[in-house]
Amino acid sequence: MGIVGKVVEYAVKPAMRQVGYLAHCKRNLEKLQTRVNELSAARERLELEVVRAEEKGEEIQTDVQNWLKHMVEITEKANELWKRDTQAKMSCLRGVCPNPVLRYKLGRRSTKLQQAVVNHYAKRDFASISYKVRPQEVSMVSDKHYEAFDSRNLTVKKIMDELRIPNTDLILVYGIGGVGKTTLVEEVLRQAVKEKLFADAVMVRSVQNLDLEVIQKEIARKLGMEVYESETMSDRALRLCNRIKAKKVLVILDNIWESIDLQSVGLPCVPTCRILLTSRTRKLLSTEKRLQKDFVLQVLNEEEAWRLFETKAGGVVKNPNIQTVATEVAKKCGGLPVLVVTVASSLRNRTTLPVWRDALRCLKVFDNEHSAEHEAYSALEWSYNQLDDQKLKPLFLICGMLARLGGAYATLTNLLKYTIGLGLFNNIDSVEHAQYALHSRIEELKDSCLLLESEDNTSFTMHDMVHDVAISIASKGQHALLRTYGDELKEWPNNKDFLENCTMISLPCKNIPRLPEVLKCQQLEFFHLQYDGDLLEIPGNFFEEMRKLKVMDFTNVHIWSLPPSLLLLENLRTLCLDQCVVGDITLLGQLSQLEILSFIYSKLKVLPKEIGKLTRLRLLDLSWCSELKTISPNVISSLKSLEDLRMKNSFNGWVPEGVTGERSNASLLELKDLPRLAALSIHVPDASSIPTDLFTDKLKRYEILIGTAPKWDDVDETLNTLKLHEMRKLMHLHSENCPGAGPFFPNLKVLHVVACVALKDPVLSAIPFKNLTTLEVVGCHRLKYLTTYTIAKTLKRLREMTVGHCKRMRGIGATTSDADDAGNDGEICFSQLQSLKLYSLPRLQDFFSGNCIVKFRSLKTVHIYKCPELKINSLEWKSSPELGVQITEEVVRDYYWCRKDDDDNDDEVDTDGGVGDGNESNDDVYCSVGDGDDIADDRSCEDSNGDSDGDAVIDDGGWRSWWW
């Protein structure tokens, strides 16, 4: 028996296995198909997670990239089994008889690939898909606002010398407010990062409100550490200390106003920790037991000040009649950059000599060092007095208050709500036009240098000295009660004269005393309260003596019930209950004059039917109300004056069209009953719930998310945006097939198409896109092209293009057989395109197929990653001398990981998800992976190692049973 067993083991079993390759070829292929379908589903799930992570700006783990890379490699091997010419060679005698040799090798290869699929599938789970990348400091991105004066360059050089040698632990830059300390240390930060002096460099701005825990958390986050709210400050300080000891770190704390215990924050006195501070006084850290070096930043010398003044005031100062007076005005700015810039900007291109003489009269001479700051305030107040009384002065004061509330940046969203409520745009009849007017006036304040340039057009900021002046003016002239964010109000003022004349109250305080039974402020128009405590009890008669109130903003408070005296506020136009926990809000339905109602980030579960009584409401903001699950039916349709509805990352439980019976929630059909609706921000998970002709040219501004994305926070709210996310059944993007079209998304600026895996037709074949500025297409694996020649020629305003993870993408554009496209050898110029990103496109061969030449006249950034087939030296790239970025072959070839697809007739995709060759009999086969053997160049299915295991013995059984 032992000998027989050995014979069976070493002779019979191998022979049977070889025969099985031939006899069970069809069954082996079917098993392979099943395994491949399972693996393909796992790949799609993983790729969706990858797309989500990349949208958040996270980096993908190496093992995940390698898994997907290997997936593509073995998929191509498996796909070879389903090629037409491979199938054709399985028969001989012109298809009459099967080819046993080829069938044997095909069966053998499918068996091996099946095992490779099983092994790869077992490795599909990962502990982590991605990891966060720390954001870059804004000041490190650009130095366009830095004026390189000799006096500043010398100080920067001295500080850099100190940072290069380990002689000091702490460097202090001090000087009068407005002298340019922040700008100078930003330049130090840029140079330190550029020279790689430190492993990490972080900057915390505007530390005058000394909350050590807030400072500690910001430093930790910028160093890439996790910040746990439940963690004590001392525990976090220990972790931060250990993190800093491990690597050389530069920490910059800007604009500190009082002594700070660096050790308690977690900034140890060790060689790896260097600290750079800015302050208005040298005495601030005299008790710090660290090796210190102090640098005083003096005002600009007369020559530098004049050069800066001349730049900001314009060519008018060269006029001989004005130049002498202008020189004197510049001198009276005392060399303070903030004053030079502000005063010069206020006088920019003023050609009348009396205006200049009046400015000279108003500005006082800087007599000595001790009076300089007082005189600086006087000069800034003079600039304020040059503003238009009705348009800009009240806006400037509100900006000053908001800038103090919001820290570095304050949002234009809040500013718009406040200014509409206060009646600053009474002669403007729509929210849309009020928004345009607000932007225009903000630009006027920037032109006067009373506001600073921000990184986007959704926020604004002020120099700290300027908004101190704004607060001072408001406190004196408007009898305002104002506090800084984080302050503590110990008691309510009891000065009767002050309260009776008070027009503004802003208390963003961490602690507020119990509200009085009645707050007697008969002239009060603006009331802002931000409370970090627990439940806020509002006495029933609290609002009884403030009937002129126009704007009320209660932020971050817990309000279970609204007081009856709220109904006495007959002039209330704006009500903001943002970041609040609210209970019963049915009382709000009786505020018949209300025009703005906001619940941003509030814990609101139900929007009751009473809200439908607010027939004058023009703007309703429910953004980020993640717990809002119910909007009573017909509430939205009752708001006939509504112009702006904001529901970003909020309610999305829309009742589909055609549902019979009584509805329990809002329907998108209600939006069609709003005749003035011009701005809309919503999320619609199910496209089938969108009624016809919903998104028409009546919409001037919109953010529309259609699909299953959990949230979206990566778009510019000022741009018309459409995001299609994980619409797995979407195959064609045509206006006649897309719900809500008619005309389809007018004036579209930003288009994101993400993880629409069934989409086949070119994306830009149906949507009005002549105004498109940003295009992102990610994870659409069945797309071969984005657009056609005719449509590409209309993309005159496109500035950013990102295409990634589209496995079948052959070209960004292609010529077609249509009459308007056929035979063109023309030129396409993307004249405004500045950023181009192409990644994970294994089959991308050309930017544009055909003979047309593509030119890029404004291109600044090119990122090409994992595009192994892209012809870098093809016609369109070589014919673009305007291209300002060097693209090398190595950029792509370093990431060569996908084999060339030799089949010029790419696979087709069926509606059922199967991948095949266009033949109905094969279209359900989904070949994705394989391992071990390759298809030889002659398509003969040779083994990859060239071995010869011998042919299987075929008896006279049934050929037909093996036929495939």
Side-chain angles (χ1 to χ4, degrees), residues 19 26 31 71 129 164 205 212 284 341 353 358 376 430 473-474 476 558 610 655 689 695 737 748 762 901 903:
V19 172
K26 181 178 180 181
K31 288 182 179 179
M71 174 82 183
I129 299 294
R164 293 187 187 100
R205 302 166 188 274
L212 295 184
L284 197 61
V341 170
L353 183 58
D358 184 62
S430 71
I473 294 172
K476 292 183 296 184
H558 293 204
E610 286 77 8
V655 175
S689 65
F695 306 122
N737 296 326
L748 183 65
D901 179 18
D903 184 8

mmCIF file of all heavy atoms in Angstrom, residues 19 26 31 71 129 164 205 212 284 341 353 358 376 430 473-474 476 558 610 655 689 695 737 748 762 901 903:
data_model
loop_
_atom_site.group_PDB
_atom_site.id
_atom_site.type_symbol
_atom_site.label_atom_id
_atom_site.label_comp_id
_atom_site.label_asym_id
_atom_site.label_seq_id
_atom_site.Cartn_x
_atom_site.Cartn_y
_atom_site.Cartn_z
ATOM 1 N N VAL A 19 -4.809 17.034 -16.381
ATOM 2 C CA VAL A 19 -6.013 16.760 -17.170
ATOM 3 C C VAL A 19 -7.140 17.707 -16.757
ATOM 4 O O VAL A 19 -7.914 18.187 -17.578
ATOM 5 C CB VAL A 19 -6.449 15.287 -16.986
ATOM 6 C CG1 VAL A 19 -7.812 15.038 -17.653
ATOM 7 C CG2 VAL A 19 -5.418 14.348 -17.587
ATOM 8 N N LYS A 26 -13.741 25.640 -18.423
ATOM 9 C CA LYS A 26 -14.873 26.552 -18.262
ATOM 10 C C LYS A 26 -15.207 26.764 -16.802
ATOM 11 O O LYS A 26 -15.454 27.888 -16.358
ATOM 12 C CB LYS A 26 -16.082 26.002 -19.009
ATOM 13 C CG LYS A 26 -17.304 26.909 -18.925
ATOM 14 C CD LYS A 26 -18.458 26.343 -19.723
ATOM 15 C CE LYS A 26 -19.686 27.269 -19.632
ATOM 16 N NZ LYS A 26 -20.835 26.727 -20.385
ATOM 17 N N LYS A 31 -15.181 30.066 -11.752
ATOM 18 C CA LYS A 31 -14.729 30.287 -10.373
ATOM 19 C C LYS A 31 -13.873 31.544 -10.279
ATOM 20 O O LYS A 31 -13.980 32.324 -9.325
ATOM 21 C CB LYS A 31 -13.929 29.076 -9.880
ATOM 22 C CG LYS A 31 -14.767 27.840 -9.600
ATOM 23 C CD LYS A 31 -13.888 26.708 -9.076
ATOM 24 C CE LYS A 31 -14.714 25.470 -8.774
ATOM 25 N NZ LYS A 31 -13.853 24.350 -8.280
ATOM 26 N N MET A 71 -3.055 45.191 -7.426
ATOM 27 C CA MET A 71 -4.367 44.856 -7.966
ATOM 28 C C MET A 71 -4.412 45.121 -9.465
ATOM 29 O O MET A 71 -4.911 44.313 -10.252
ATOM 30 C CB MET A 71 -5.413 45.712 -7.248
ATOM 31 C CG MET A 71 -6.821 45.594 -7.783
ATOM 32 S SD MET A 71 -7.657 44.169 -7.122
ATOM 33 C CE MET A 71 -9.209 44.297 -8.012
ATOM 34 N N ILE A 129 -6.236 53.741 6.487
ATOM 35 C CA ILE A 129 -6.198 54.044 5.061
ATOM 36 C C ILE A 129 -5.298 55.234 4.773
ATOM 37 O O ILE A 129 -4.560 55.260 3.787
ATOM 38 C CB ILE A 129 -7.623 54.338 4.529
ATOM 39 C CG1 ILE A 129 -8.520 53.116 4.726
ATOM 40 C CG2 ILE A 129 -7.573 54.739 3.059
ATOM 41 C CD1 ILE A 129 -8.121 51.923 3.916
ATOM 42 N N ARG A 164 20.573 80.190 13.983
ATOM 43 C CA ARG A 164 21.508 79.202 13.427
ATOM 44 C C ARG A 164 22.474 78.668 14.476
ATOM 45 O O ARG A 164 23.066 77.607 14.292
ATOM 46 C CB ARG A 164 22.291 79.823 12.269
ATOM 47 C CG ARG A 164 21.436 80.154 11.051
ATOM 48 C CD ARG A 164 22.307 80.595 9.878
ATOM 49 N NE ARG A 164 21.497 81.063 8.769
ATOM 50 C CZ ARG A 164 21.261 82.332 8.502
ATOM 51 N NH1 ARG A 164 21.788 83.283 9.273
ATOM 52 N NH2 ARG A 164 20.506 82.684 7.473
ATOM 53 N N ARG A 205 -0.790 83.411 16.363
ATOM 54 C CA ARG A 205 -0.981 84.844 16.152
ATOM 55 C C ARG A 205 -1.902 85.452 17.199
ATOM 56 O O ARG A 205 -2.791 84.781 17.725
ATOM 57 C CB ARG A 205 -1.572 85.097 14.759
ATOM 58 C CG ARG A 205 -0.702 84.541 13.647
ATOM 59 C CD ARG A 205 -1.469 84.496 12.332
ATOM 60 N NE ARG A 205 -0.694 83.786 11.321
ATOM 61 C CZ ARG A 205 0.219 84.369 10.554
ATOM 62 N NH1 ARG A 205 0.454 85.659 10.676
ATOM 63 N NH2 ARG A 205 0.892 83.665 9.668
ATOM 64 N N LEU A 212 -3.929 80.264 28.135
ATOM 65 C CA LEU A 212 -2.807 79.345 27.941
ATOM 66 C C LEU A 212 -3.245 78.043 27.287
ATOM 67 O O LEU A 212 -2.511 77.473 26.472
ATOM 68 C CB LEU A 212 -2.127 79.063 29.286
ATOM 69 C CG LEU A 212 -1.438 80.251 29.958
ATOM 70 C CD1 LEU A 212 -0.729 79.804 31.223
ATOM 71 C CD2 LEU A 212 -0.453 80.917 29.007
ATOM 72 N N LEU A 284 8.447 92.660 29.350
ATOM 73 C CA LEU A 284 7.465 91.599 29.500
ATOM 74 C C LEU A 284 8.052 90.313 30.045
ATOM 75 O O LEU A 284 7.477 89.656 30.910
ATOM 76 C CB LEU A 284 6.788 91.342 28.143
ATOM 77 C CG LEU A 284 5.480 90.568 28.210
ATOM 78 C CD1 LEU A 284 4.443 91.299 29.011
ATOM 79 C CD2 LEU A 284 4.959 90.302 26.814
ATOM 80 N N VAL A 341 0.891 103.531 5.548
ATOM 81 C CA VAL A 341 0.034 102.840 4.576
ATOM 82 C C VAL A 341 -1.397 103.353 4.656
ATOM 83 O O VAL A 341 -2.040 103.616 3.632
ATOM 84 C CB VAL A 341 0.085 101.313 4.822
ATOM 85 C CG1 VAL A 341 -0.977 100.594 3.996
ATOM 86 C CG2 VAL A 341 1.466 100.766 4.480
ATOM 87 N N LEU A 353 -5.240 120.165 -3.866
ATOM 88 C CA LEU A 353 -4.273 120.597 -2.856
ATOM 89 C C LEU A 353 -4.914 120.873 -1.492
ATOM 90 O O LEU A 353 -4.331 120.493 -0.461
ATOM 91 C CB LEU A 353 -3.521 121.835 -3.360
ATOM 92 C CG LEU A 353 -2.407 122.366 -2.447
ATOM 93 C CD1 LEU A 353 -1.351 121.292 -2.192
ATOM 94 C CD2 LEU A 353 -1.784 123.616 -3.065
ATOM 95 N N ASP A 358 -5.456 119.973 4.448
ATOM 96 C CA ASP A 358 -6.320 119.642 5.576
ATOM 97 C C ASP A 358 -5.796 118.416 6.319
ATOM 98 O O ASP A 358 -5.834 118.359 7.551
ATOM 99 C CB ASP A 358 -7.747 119.394 5.085
ATOM 100 C CG ASP A 358 -8.707 119.141 6.226
ATOM 101 O OD1 ASP A 358 -8.877 120.041 7.072
ATOM 102 O OD2 ASP A 358 -9.273 118.024 6.288
ATOM 103 N N ALA A 376 -0.439 107.860 17.122
ATOM 104 C CA ALA A 376 -0.825 106.873 16.112
ATOM 105 C C ALA A 376 -2.335 106.678 16.117
ATOM 106 O O ALA A 376 -2.979 106.602 15.060
ATOM 107 C CB ALA A 376 -0.109 105.553 16.372
ATOM 108 N N SER A 430 -32.590 93.451 -2.569
ATOM 109 C CA SER A 430 -32.406 91.998 -2.529
ATOM 110 C C SER A 430 -31.153 91.642 -1.736
ATOM 111 O O SER A 430 -30.212 92.444 -1.636
ATOM 112 C CB SER A 430 -32.306 91.411 -3.944
ATOM 113 O OG SER A 430 -31.073 91.767 -4.558
ATOM 114 N N ILE A 473 -13.622 104.226 19.175
ATOM 115 C CA ILE A 473 -14.591 105.148 18.579
ATOM 116 C C ILE A 473 -16.015 104.692 18.901
ATOM 117 O O ILE A 473 -16.882 105.496 19.267
ATOM 118 C CB ILE A 473 -14.373 105.236 17.060
ATOM 119 C CG1 ILE A 473 -13.024 105.893 16.751
ATOM 120 C CG2 ILE A 473 -15.505 106.019 16.395
ATOM 121 C CD1 ILE A 473 -12.649 105.847 15.282
ATOM 122 N N ALA A 474 -16.281 103.388 18.763
ATOM 123 C CA ALA A 474 -17.628 102.865 19.036
ATOM 124 C C ALA A 474 -18.004 103.065 20.497
ATOM 125 O O ALA A 474 -19.150 103.408 20.818
ATOM 126 C CB ALA A 474 -17.696 101.387 18.658
ATOM 127 N N LYS A 476 -16.987 105.350 22.574
ATOM 128 C CA LYS A 476 -17.234 106.749 22.915
ATOM 129 C C LYS A 476 -18.409 107.326 22.131
ATOM 130 O O LYS A 476 -19.324 107.913 22.711
ATOM 131 C CB LYS A 476 -15.974 107.583 22.651
ATOM 132 C CG LYS A 476 -14.820 107.267 23.594
ATOM 133 C CD LYS A 476 -13.620 108.176 23.332
ATOM 134 C CE LYS A 476 -13.048 107.946 21.945
ATOM 135 N NZ LYS A 476 -11.817 108.755 21.716
ATOM 136 N N HIS A 558 -27.382 77.815 25.723
ATOM 137 C CA HIS A 558 -28.429 76.803 25.886
ATOM 138 C C HIS A 558 -29.716 77.529 26.259
ATOM 139 O O HIS A 558 -29.812 78.139 27.327
ATOM 140 C CB HIS A 558 -28.058 75.809 26.984
ATOM 141 C CG HIS A 558 -26.879 74.956 26.628
ATOM 142 N ND1 HIS A 558 -26.649 73.728 27.193
ATOM 143 C CD2 HIS A 558 -25.869 75.137 25.755
ATOM 144 C CE1 HIS A 558 -25.550 73.203 26.697
ATOM 145 N NE2 HIS A 558 -25.047 74.060 25.823
ATOM 146 N N GLU A 610 -44.723 76.695 12.724
ATOM 147 C CA GLU A 610 -44.896 78.109 13.012
ATOM 148 C C GLU A 610 -43.900 78.984 12.272
ATOM 149 O O GLU A 610 -44.165 80.161 12.014
ATOM 150 C CB GLU A 610 -44.785 78.355 14.523
ATOM 151 C CG GLU A 610 -45.990 77.904 15.340
ATOM 152 C CD GLU A 610 -46.016 76.398 15.555
ATOM 153 O OE1 GLU A 610 -45.013 75.735 15.188
ATOM 154 O OE2 GLU A 610 -47.018 75.884 16.093
ATOM 155 N N VAL A 655 -38.640 64.387 1.076
ATOM 156 C CA VAL A 655 -39.637 63.406 0.657
ATOM 157 C C VAL A 655 -39.667 63.371 -0.869
ATOM 158 O O VAL A 655 -39.773 64.425 -1.511
ATOM 159 C CB VAL A 655 -41.035 63.769 1.203
ATOM 160 C CG1 VAL A 655 -42.086 62.814 0.655
ATOM 161 C CG2 VAL A 655 -41.013 63.734 2.723
ATOM 162 N N SER A 689 -35.445 62.213 -6.069
ATOM 163 C CA SER A 689 -36.366 63.092 -5.347
ATOM 164 C C SER A 689 -36.357 64.521 -5.894
ATOM 165 O O SER A 689 -37.091 65.375 -5.402
ATOM 166 C CB SER A 689 -36.022 63.110 -3.850
ATOM 167 O OG SER A 689 -34.742 63.679 -3.633
ATOM 168 N N PHE A 695 -33.642 73.408 -10.760
ATOM 169 C CA PHE A 695 -32.442 74.242 -10.823
ATOM 170 C C PHE A 695 -32.446 75.029 -12.127
ATOM 171 O O PHE A 695 -31.888 74.592 -13.135
ATOM 172 C CB PHE A 695 -31.188 73.379 -10.711
ATOM 173 C CG PHE A 695 -31.177 72.496 -9.498
ATOM 174 C CD1 PHE A 695 -31.065 71.117 -9.623
ATOM 175 C CD2 PHE A 695 -31.305 73.030 -8.228
ATOM 176 C CE1 PHE A 695 -31.056 70.304 -8.508
ATOM 177 C CE2 PHE A 695 -31.300 72.224 -7.108
ATOM 178 C CZ PHE A 695 -31.189 70.854 -7.240
ATOM 179 N N ASN A 737 -31.645 63.945 -19.130
ATOM 180 C CA ASN A 737 -31.685 62.777 -18.265
ATOM 181 C C ASN A 737 -31.458 63.116 -16.809
ATOM 182 O O ASN A 737 -31.560 62.249 -15.952
ATOM 183 C CB ASN A 737 -30.615 61.764 -18.705
ATOM 184 C CG ASN A 737 -30.882 61.222 -20.090
ATOM 185 O OD1 ASN A 737 -32.031 61.068 -20.470
ATOM 186 N ND2 ASN A 737 -29.833 60.951 -20.845
ATOM 187 N N LEU A 748 -22.486 77.811 -13.864
ATOM 188 C CA LEU A 748 -21.720 76.884 -13.026
ATOM 189 C C LEU A 748 -20.245 77.273 -13.026
ATOM 190 O O LEU A 748 -19.639 77.494 -14.069
ATOM 191 C CB LEU A 748 -21.886 75.456 -13.557
ATOM 192 C CG LEU A 748 -21.216 74.347 -12.752
ATOM 193 C CD1 LEU A 748 -21.843 74.230 -11.375
ATOM 194 C CD2 LEU A 748 -21.336 73.010 -13.492
ATOM 195 N N PRO A 762 -18.712 61.523 -21.802
ATOM 196 C CA PRO A 762 -17.867 62.642 -21.350
ATOM 197 C C PRO A 762 -18.609 63.536 -20.376
ATOM 198 O O PRO A 762 -19.774 63.859 -20.574
ATOM 199 C CB PRO A 762 -17.539 63.376 -22.658
ATOM 200 C CG PRO A 762 -17.624 62.319 -23.710
ATOM 201 C CD PRO A 762 -18.722 61.397 -23.269
ATOM 202 N N ASP A 901 -1.763 48.540 -21.920
ATOM 203 C CA ASP A 901 -2.897 47.783 -22.440
ATOM 204 C C ASP A 901 -2.764 47.724 -23.952
ATOM 205 O O ASP A 901 -2.847 48.722 -24.638
ATOM 206 C CB ASP A 901 -4.199 48.466 -22.044
ATOM 207 C CG ASP A 901 -5.394 47.719 -22.588
ATOM 208 O OD1 ASP A 901 -5.262 46.546 -22.956
ATOM 209 O OD2 ASP A 901 -6.463 48.332 -22.634
ATOM 210 N N ASP A 903 -4.730 46.297 -26.060
ATOM 211 C CA ASP A 903 -5.989 46.264 -26.792
ATOM 212 C C ASP A 903 -6.476 47.665 -27.056
ATOM 213 O O ASP A 903 -6.910 48.370 -26.164
ATOM 214 C CB ASP A 903 -7.025 45.477 -25.967
ATOM 215 C CG ASP A 903 -8.333 45.321 -26.706
ATOM 216 O OD1 ASP A 903 -8.398 45.671 -27.895
ATOM 217 O OD2 ASP A 903 -9.285 44.854 -26.068
#
